Amino acid sequence: MMPVPSSVPQPKDDFQEELVIRPLHSGDIYASFQFRTLWETDFMRGNKVSHYRLFPKSLGQVISKFSVRELHISFTQGYWRTMQWGQPFLPSPPGAELWVWFQDSVTDVDGTWKELTNVLSGIFCASLNFIDSTNTVQPSASFKPLGIGNVTDHRFLRYATLPREIVCTENLTPWKKLLPCGSKAGLAVLLKSEKLFHSSFHSQAVHIRPVCQDWQCKTTSWELRQTLNVVFDLHTPGQGKLEWSLFKMFSRTLTEACPLASSSKIYIDITDDPQGEQFEVSPATHLLSQAMVLGDRRTFSVYDLTQQITFGTVRSLNLLIRWKSRDMLRPLLHAERYVAGYGLQTGEIHTLMYNNHPYRSFPVLLLDSVPWYLRLYIHTLTVTSKGKDNKPSYIHYQPSKDRVRPHLLEMLVQLPPNSVTEVTVQFERALLKWTEYTPDPNHGFYVGSSVISSLVPSIVAMDTNSTREQPLFSSFFPCKEESSYFMRVYTEPLLVNLPTPDFSMPYNVICLTCTVVAVGYGSLYNLLTRSFQIEEPSPGLAKRIANIIRKMRGVPPL
Amino acid sequence: IIFYIFSTLYFQLSFSPLVPQENAGQFFSSGHTNNWAVLVCTSRFWFNYRHVANTLSVYRSVKRLGIPDSHIVLMLADDMACNHRNPKPATVFSHKNMELNVYGDDVEVDYRGYEVTVENFLRVLTGRLPPSTPRSKRLLSDDRSNILIYLTGHGGNGFLKFQDSEEISNVELADAFEQMWQKRRYNELLFIIDTCQGASMYERFYSPNLMALASSQVGEDSLSHQPDLAIGVHLMDRYTFYLLEFLEDIHPSSKANMNDLFKVCPKSQCVSTPGHRTDLFLRDPGSALITDFFGSVRKVEITMETINLTEPIQQRQKETYSYVDQLPVSEIIHQKPKQKDWHPPDGFILGLWTLILLVFFKTYGMKHLKHIF
C-alpha cells in the first residue's frame, strides 16, 4: 500500500538512552539502563492516533483504549539490599508490581482495571491476569501521580502486586521488542538474558506518564521510560578481584549508538575518587558531569556514544573499571519486615523502619496490603520508637472481606532521628477451601512487600528546575523543594504457611471405608443368610454302573 | 477441491514438469492456508525439567521452520530456566554437556505457572475464552488451519496429569477435538504425546482429519534419556530427543513426509514402542509433508491500492500544568475519611427504643413498667 504523504508535520518524538554504572562498596556492580521516548501527541482527544514511529503501538493502544493517565509496571527478581548497596535509582519490590492512574472520564474503574491487567499479561508474557479484587487495593495517600496533573482523586488509582511472579527471558523478550532499535543497536545489545539473570538483582520496568514539554509547561507530551536495573555479584564469574568490564558483565561490547536516538550516553560514578588514585576507568574520558541524585551530589565520567571517537580505532567500546574497596555512606532510610510466632494458627508481623539521620526526623507513609487469609487483629497494632509509643498522625484502614478484598493499612508516622520504629500487628491464619489451594501449597503463601514513601532530608540542595537538560536517572521523581527528596523503600515479601489439608485423604477414606464395609457387612450377611445342607459324595464309576444295572433289574440301589 | 483437481490434471498433462510450477501445485494440494501450534508441558517441580525441555525443543523446531510466535500457544507449567536450582540461569538444555540451549534468547511463553490447567487448555482448544483474553493467548484458527498439538508430562492409562493436582482424560480430549471439528476450527490436526502409556490418549478420538503419535503403548512407560551431572536431573525424554534430532534435519522446503515421522525412535532406541493412528486421517500419510504441520504457510497478497492517512488535529491547551506533590503531609493529615456505609446518627437508636417502650407502655398500661425497672 502506498500512503499519500500528509502535509501537516507529524508530532515530534524523541528517544534517549543511557546507562549508569555504579560500583558498590561490597564489590558488586550496579548497572541501570534507561530508555526514554517522548512523544508530543494526545491520546485522549481528537482523532485516533494511527501513525506510530518511536513509541510502541501496543502501549499506545493500551493508553487510548483504557484511558490511562499513568502506568507503572515492574518485574523484579531478587531483593534490593539497601544496607549493602545503598539506594537504587528506581526502587521496585520482588515479583510483579502494577499501579495505574486512570483518567477521570472512566466510569467503571474496576472493570477497566481487570481488562487492562489481562491485556498487559499478553503484552509482557506474565500471569498478570491473576490480579483481581483479592489483591488490588486503592491507596488513599500513597502513590501520588508522578506525571503532571491537578486532580488527585484516589478513586482512579489502583495498586496490585504479585510477589510470586517469576521473571525470565520470556518477560525480557517482549520488553526488548518495545524499544525503537530493538536489541540490534545501541545500548540494548548488552541485554543478553544469560548474563542478566545470573545476577543478584534484576528488575525491568515500564513507566508511562505525561510530562511537561518545556519550562513553561503549557503543553504536555507522553513519556515512556523503560528501565532495567541489574546488580552483578562479585563472586559469580569466579574472580574475586574488584575489576569489571562491559564484556565481563554482559558478554558483549558496544559498537554503535542506536541511530534513532538523539542522545546515547554511559555514566560511570566516580564520586568517591575523582583524582583517579583508587579508581581507574579505561578508556579514559575527559567528559565529566555532576548531578544531584538521591540527596547527594555525584560526579560521573561520561561516554557519548553518538561521537565516533568514543569507539576508538577498534570500533568497539569495552569499558574497564578497577577500584579498591571503600566505605559507603549509610543510607538514611531502611526497612525490614518479618513474621514472628510459631504454629499454624497465629502469628505477628513486625515491620522495622530505621532512620539513620543524626538529628533530623522526617515523616514516612507506610502502605501495607495483606491478603484476606491472614486475618489481622488491628486492635493489637502498636507503633513504637525508642521504646515509647509513637502515634501516627494519619491512619487509614480498610478491613478485608473474605475472598473479595485484602486488608489495606496506611499510616503516616514521624520517625525520630537516629532511631528504629517498630510496627507490630497480630494475625490469625484462615483455612482455605480445598479448591483454593495452589498445586504446591506446602511452598507457602506470599504477602506482598510493604511500601514506605518518604521525604528524606538531603545533604545538598536538590535541583528543582525540572526542565533543564538532566540525565535521565536524576529526573525520574519530580522535585518540588530543595531540602528534601522523595524516596520509596520496599520491604521483603513474607512467606507464610497456611494450614494445609492432606489432599490424599479423600482417596484414603474411600479405600478404607469400602474395605471395612465389604469385610464387615459381607461377613455379617453370610452369617445371617447362609444355610447348610448335607450332600452325599458322588459314588465311584463301578458303583454307578452297578446302580444302573440294579435299576434295570428293579432292585434298590446300593 | 478445485485446486486439487487442477494440480492432478496438471501433473498428468506435463511429462517434464517445471520445478516452480510443481511447487505451486504442491503448495495448494494440502488444503491449508495457515499453521498453528499448541505446545503444553503439564508438570511442575524441578525434577520434571525434562518435560519443559521436551516442549521447548518442539517449540524451537516449530519456530525454526517458520511458525511465528503469534501462531504458537506455549504453555509451561513451571519455570525451569530461572529456577533457583538451575546452575545456569536463563537456559534449558536438551543435550548433556550443555550443547544445545533450547530456551534461547527469543521465547514467548503464553501460559505459565498456575495458568496451565485443564480448564485453560480446553478453553484454548475450543475457543471459549473470556472476552478480555489477549490475542497471544488465543488459538485463532479457522477451517483452513493445520494445527500441531504436543503434550508432555506424566500420564497413565487414559489420563494425563496436570501439575500434580488434576487430570485430563482421553474422553475429554476426544470431545474437545470434536467440538473443534464442529466449530470448523481446524483443517487437519496432528497430535503428539510423550508420556507413559501415551497411546491410550488417542484411543477415543472420533473426529475426522486427526493423526496421532504417541511415545509408548498402553502398559509401557516412556523413559527419559540422559541425566546431566552438572544440572542434576534428566534433560529430555527419549522419544522427544530422537524427534528433535529428526527435526533438526528438516528445513522449510523439505519433502519428508509423515511415514518418516512414524519411524522416529524405534524400539531399540526408545525401549518403549511408539504408536501412531492414521485411520481418521483422510489423506494418505505418505502425502502429508512434515512441514504441513511443523512449518508454516504464509500467503502474501500484493495490492496497488492507495490509502489516505488522516491528519491528526492539534489542540493546544492554554492552561499551565505542574507536577503533583509526592508526600503532602498536611494534606494527608487533614484528609477526611470517606464514609462508605451510612450509619444512623448517634442517639437515634436510643431515641427509637425509648419511643417503642413508651408506645408499649401507653397501650398496655403503666403497671408493667415496674417489672422492667
Side-chain angles (χ1 to χ4, degrees):
Chain A
M1 295 184 209
M2 292 184 294
V4 170
S6 67
S7 52
V8 175
Q10 297 296 320
K12 282 200 311 209
D13 47 8
D14 177 55
F15 175 66
Q16 296 172 342
E17 54 179 19
E18 91 179 10
L19 164 62
V20 182
I21 299 182
R22 189 211 273 180
L24 303 170
H25 94 291
S26 57
D28 306 328
I29 195 155
Y30 171 35
S32 170
F33 291 82
Q34 283 210 33
F35 302 93
R36 178 169 88 155
T37 308
L38 275 174
W39 198 20
E40 288 170 29
T41 185
D42 204 346
F43 285 110
M44 299 304 134
R45 271 176 281 265
N47 293 344
K48 258 179 30 159
V49 179
S50 51
H51 177 61
Y52 289 86
R53 199 171 80 96
L54 296 176
F55 201 94
K57 183 173 177 186
S58 48
L59 291 180
Q61 287 180 329
V62 162
I63 297 174
S64 46
K65 178 156 188 233
F66 298 111
S67 305
V68 167
R69 188 170 136 199
E70 263 191 44
L71 188 142
H72 301 270
I73 184 167
S74 73
F75 298 97
T76 311
Q77 178 203 63
Y79 176 65
W80 183 269
R81 294 169 220 283
T82 314
M83 289 310 276
Q84 289 167 298
W85 298 339
Q87 293 290 352
F89 293 123
L90 284 132
S92 52
E97 185 201 41
L98 171 67
W99 58 281
V100 175
W101 273 93
F102 290 97
Q103 302 278 351
D104 38 7
S105 57
V106 174
T107 45
D108 178 17
V109 182
D110 287 316
T112 319
W113 169 254
K114 191 84 188 89
E115 286 181 25
L116 177 65
T117 52
N118 276 309
V119 166
L120 289 174
S121 86
I123 294 177
F124 292 105
C125 288
S127 19
L128 296 174
N129 46 325
F130 284 132
I131 293 178
D132 55 8
S133 64
T134 59
N135 47 23
T136 308
V137 290
Q138 187 185 317
S140 65
S142 308
F143 292 103
K144 295 255 181 259
L146 287 169
I148 56 178
N150 297 329
V151 181
T152 56
D153 188 352
H154 280 260
R155 273 188 304 131
F156 297 104
L157 168 64
R158 291 289 182 273
Y159 173 81
T161 48
L162 290 173
R164 186 79 204 265
E165 192 67 20
I166 300 160
V167 188
C168 207
T169 311
E170 64 241 25
N171 305 110
L172 187 63
T173 308
W175 190 92
K176 283 199 284 193
K177 288 184 181 164
L178 296 173
L179 295 170
C181 282
S183 53
K184 307 268 189 306
L187 290 170
V189 298
L190 297 175
L191 301 176
K192 289 293 156 199
S193 55
E194 283 186 21
K195 284 289 188 179
L196 285 179
F197 290 103
H198 200 40
S199 57
S200 307
F201 177 83
H202 170 98
S203 168
Q204 61 199 53
V206 171
H207 301 277
I208 303 176
R209 58 179 178 161
V211 292
C212 293
Q213 241 171 53
D214 48 21
W215 65 274
Q216 282 168 323
C217 213
K218 289 219 188 289
T219 46
T220 69
S221 46
W222 283 92
E223 180 196 73
L224 163 70
R225 273 192 202 227
Q226 284 180 254
T227 65
L228 198 142
N229 292 329
V230 62
V231 174
F232 290 105
D233 193 13
L234 172 67
H235 300 287
T236 313
Q239 224 180 344
K241 285 192 282 197
L242 294 178
E243 184 184 298
W244 288 93
S245 69
L246 279 185
F247 189 78
K248 191 167 154 184
M249 285 195 272
F250 303 108
S251 67
R252 289 285 183 288
T253 58
L254 288 165
T255 50
E256 56 166 347
C258 174
L260 297 167
S262 62
S263 116
S264 178
K265 294 201 170 91
I266 300 184
Y267 293 85
I268 310 226
D269 190 341
I270 56 168
T271 313
D272 295 300
D273 191 62
Q275 273 77 34
E277 287 155 1
Q278 289 197 324
F279 200 95
E280 191 194 312
V281 181
S282 72
T285 179
H286 297 294
L287 288 169
L288 288 176
S289 142
Q290 285 206 334
M292 254 76 68
V293 63
L294 295 172
D296 198 9
R297 183 189 299 273
R298 304 197 71 90
T299 317
F300 297 88
S301 295
V302 184
Y303 291 82
D304 192 349
L305 296 179
T306 49
Q307 310 291 330
Q308 230 3 67
I309 54 166
T310 318
F311 297 103
T313 46
V314 294
R315 293 205 198 283
S316 107
L317 178 65
N318 183 15
L319 293 169
L320 190 67
I321 307 164
R322 221 179 273 132
W323 76 99
K324 298 194 183 34
S325 181
R326 65 265 176 92
D327 293 325
M328 187 189 71
L329 213 76
R330 233 170 135 209
L332 290 175
L333 177 64
H334 165 53
E336 284 173 3
R337 192 165 72 146
Y338 57 89
V339 173
Y342 60 91
L344 284 175
Q345 169 130 18
T346 54
E348 212 171 273
I349 298 181
H350 291 246
T351 310
L352 292 137
M353 295 182 281
Y354 296 82
N355 177 357
N356 293 323
H357 201 284
Y359 52 86
R360 291 277 298 272
S361 74
F362 50 85
V364 297
L365 192 57
L366 172 68
L367 171 77
D368 244 321
S369 162
V370 179
W372 64 267
Y373 39 80
L374 297 186
R375 303 213 164 101
L376 295 181
Y377 292 125
I378 291 293
H379 71 279
T380 58
L381 175 70
T382 60
V383 184
T384 47
S385 311
K386 291 180 172 174
K388 288 190 303 228
D389 218 11
N390 183 353
K391 194 166 170 340
S393 31
Y394 171 78
I395 299 188
H396 172 74
Y397 173 64
Q398 192 183 43
S400 69
K401 244 192 210 175
D402 272 8
R403 300 175 182 88
V404 170
R405 56 165 200 250
H407 299 271
L408 172 66
L409 179 63
E410 266 186 284
M411 292 194 298
L412 184 67
V413 184
Q414 190 80 8
L415 298 184
N418 214 9
S419 67
V420 180
T421 305
E422 189 171 339
V423 178
T424 59
V425 62
Q426 288 179 6
F427 66 87
E428 183 191 61
R429 297 168 218 235
L431 192 63
L432 300 177
K433 293 184 186 166
W434 75 285
T435 48
E436 288 172 350
Y437 287 96
T438 55
D440 51 352
N442 290 301
H443 180 90
F445 289 78
Y446 282 88
V447 177
S449 314
S450 302
V451 188
I452 296 162
S453 323
S454 66
L455 277 174
V456 181
S458 70
I459 305 166
V460 297
M462 298 296 292
D463 193 359
T464 52
N465 187 354
S466 59
T467 51
R468 209 165 55 98
E469 200 48 52
Q470 276 180 350
L472 293 175
F473 60 88
S474 57
S475 59
F476 187 66
F477 288 113
C479 200
K480 287 223 151 173
E481 42 182 291
E482 288 187 343
S483 56
S484 58
Y485 63 96
F486 179 74
M487 196 163 74
R488 224 173 247 146
V489 175
Y490 291 92
T491 62
E492 301 96 324
L494 300 173
L495 184 61
V496 285
N497 267 20
L498 289 184
T500 310
D502 183 358
F503 292 102
S504 63
M505 274 320 283
Y507 171 74
N508 294 345
V509 166
I510 292 171
C511 284
L512 188 67
T513 319
C514 290
T515 313
V516 165
V517 165
V519 170
Y521 177 70
S523 320
L524 196 66
Y525 181 77
N526 280 337
L527 277 174
L528 292 174
T529 56
R530 200 185 296 171
S531 63
F532 293 94
Q533 290 168 334
I534 302 173
E535 199 179 274
E536 295 277 341
S538 60
L541 186 62
K543 274 204 173 163
R544 269 196 277 166
I545 296 174
N547 280 338
I548 292 169
I549 297 169
R550 280 179 163 230
K551 210 168 23 172
M552 286 196 296
R553 279 170 52 192
V555 174
L558 288 166
Chain B
I1 298 177
I2 297 171
F3 286 128
Y4 183 72
I5 295 169
F6 171 81
S7 60
T8 46
L9 277 172
Y10 194 84
F11 287 138
Q12 285 161 4
L13 288 172
S14 59
F15 290 99
S16 54
L18 299 163
V19 175
Q21 274 137 323
E22 179 186 76
N23 285 346
Q26 272 201 316
F27 189 77
F28 294 115
S29 69
S30 65
H32 72 283
T33 59
N34 54 79
N35 284 86
W36 289 81
V38 179
L39 311 172
V40 184
C41 159
T42 60
S43 306
R44 175 165 278 276
F45 305 122
W46 174 245
F47 52 82
N48 289 322
Y49 182 102
R50 59 188 187 278
H51 296 140
V52 172
N54 289 349
T55 319
L56 286 173
S57 50
V58 178
Y59 173 77
R60 174 206 152 76
S61 309
V62 147
K63 249 180 115 159
R64 200 175 50 82
L65 291 171
I67 303 188
D69 269 314
S70 52
H71 282 228
I72 302 177
V73 178
L74 178 62
M75 304 170 87
L76 298 179
D78 201 1
D79 170 57
M80 300 300 163
C82 289
N83 197 318
H84 296 295
R85 286 177 161 162
N86 194 346
K88 289 228 161 223
T91 58
V92 174
F93 292 108
S94 62
H95 289 62
K96 71 172 178 199
N97 300 326
M98 301 177 193
E99 283 166 19
L100 180 61
N101 174 15
V102 287
Y103 194 57
D105 220 8
D106 185 15
V107 55
E108 288 185 16
V109 181
D110 302 303
Y111 286 86
R112 58 189 203 147
Y114 299 132
E115 292 179 290
V116 178
T117 57
V118 174
E119 184 189 340
N120 280 350
F121 175 59
L122 291 177
R123 280 184 187 278
V124 164
L125 287 184
T126 54
R128 295 165 189 240
L129 289 159
S132 52
T133 318
R135 284 181 79 103
S136 58
K137 287 185 164 177
R138 287 180 191 255
L139 180 65
L140 298 164
S141 56
D142 53 24
D143 62 320
R144 303 284 294 282
S145 310
N146 273 12
I147 308 182
L148 165 72
I149 297 186
Y150 177 82
L151 292 175
T152 183
H154 288 291
N157 191 354
F159 68 92
L160 170 64
K161 194 165 72 156
F162 266 69
Q163 296 217 40
D164 213 22
S165 64
E166 46 181 5
E167 299 113 33
I168 185 171
S169 65
N170 48 5
V171 176
E172 281 175 354
L173 197 58
D175 286 342
F177 287 153
E178 177 64 14
Q179 275 197 51
M180 285 174 79
W181 176 251
Q182 303 240 351
K183 288 166 86 161
R184 300 276 176 266
R185 279 169 71 78
Y186 70 89
N187 175 34
E188 284 168 353
L189 200 143
L190 175 63
F191 176 76
I192 305 182
I193 184 160
D194 187 351
T195 62
C196 303
Q197 307 191 49
S200 62
M201 289 304 283
Y202 61 64
E203 272 173 2
R204 300 292 198 114
F205 288 175
Y206 56 93
S207 318
N209 269 343
L210 292 178
M211 188 172 355
L213 279 108
S215 60
S216 55
Q217 301 292 335
V218 175
E220 283 178 353
D221 286 337
S222 283
L223 301 180
S224 56
H225 187 57
Q226 38 172 229
D228 182 292
L229 295 175
I231 299 178
V233 284
H234 285 263
L235 295 181
M236 287 272 272
D237 278 332
R238 283 176 190 252
Y239 181 73
T240 313
F241 182 81
Y242 290 107
L243 181 70
L244 174 67
E245 273 193 4
F246 172 75
L247 288 174
E248 288 286 300
D249 291 332
I250 306 283
H251 51 86
S253 56
S254 160
K255 295 275 168 282
N257 58 36
M258 284 296 157
N259 285 332
D260 303 325
L261 195 63
F262 297 151
K263 293 199 206 92
V264 163
C265 207
K267 197 169 160 75
S268 54
Q269 283 176 325
C270 253
V271 184
S272 57
T273 320
H276 54 89
R277 182 176 174 179
T278 53
D279 56 317
L280 294 165
F281 202 68
L282 296 177
R283 281 194 292 154
D284 173 37
S287 70
L289 300 177
I290 302 275
T291 49
D292 278 352
F293 293 100
F294 286 88
S296 171
V297 171
R298 272 183 273 192
K299 289 182 73 176
V300 176
E301 284 183 19
I302 300 176
T303 167
M304 300 300 283
E305 287 173 18
T306 60
I307 185 166
N308 288 331
L309 293 176
T310 53
E311 291 142 10
I313 298 171
Q314 298 280 6
Q315 282 192 4
R316 297 264 140 190
Q317 292 283 117
K318 282 303 158 203
E319 45 182 293
T320 320
Y321 298 100
S322 62
Y323 286 100
V324 179
D325 220 350
Q326 288 297 303
L327 197 72
V329 178
S330 50
E331 228 181 86
I332 291 172
I333 292 175
H334 297 115
Q335 207 169 332
K336 284 204 180 8
K338 288 179 281 296
Q339 291 275 21
K340 276 289 181 57
D341 305 320
W342 180 83
H343 298 285
D346 300 330
F348 178 76
I349 307 251
L350 194 65
L352 192 67
W353 274 108
T354 319
L355 186 69
I356 292 171
L357 282 172
L358 275 174
V359 167
F360 172 73
F361 290 116
K362 199 86 192 323
T363 329
Y364 293 103
M366 295 298 286
K367 59 181 184 296
H368 296 279
L369 199 62
K370 60 176 177 299
H371 294 283
I372 308 290
F373 293 107

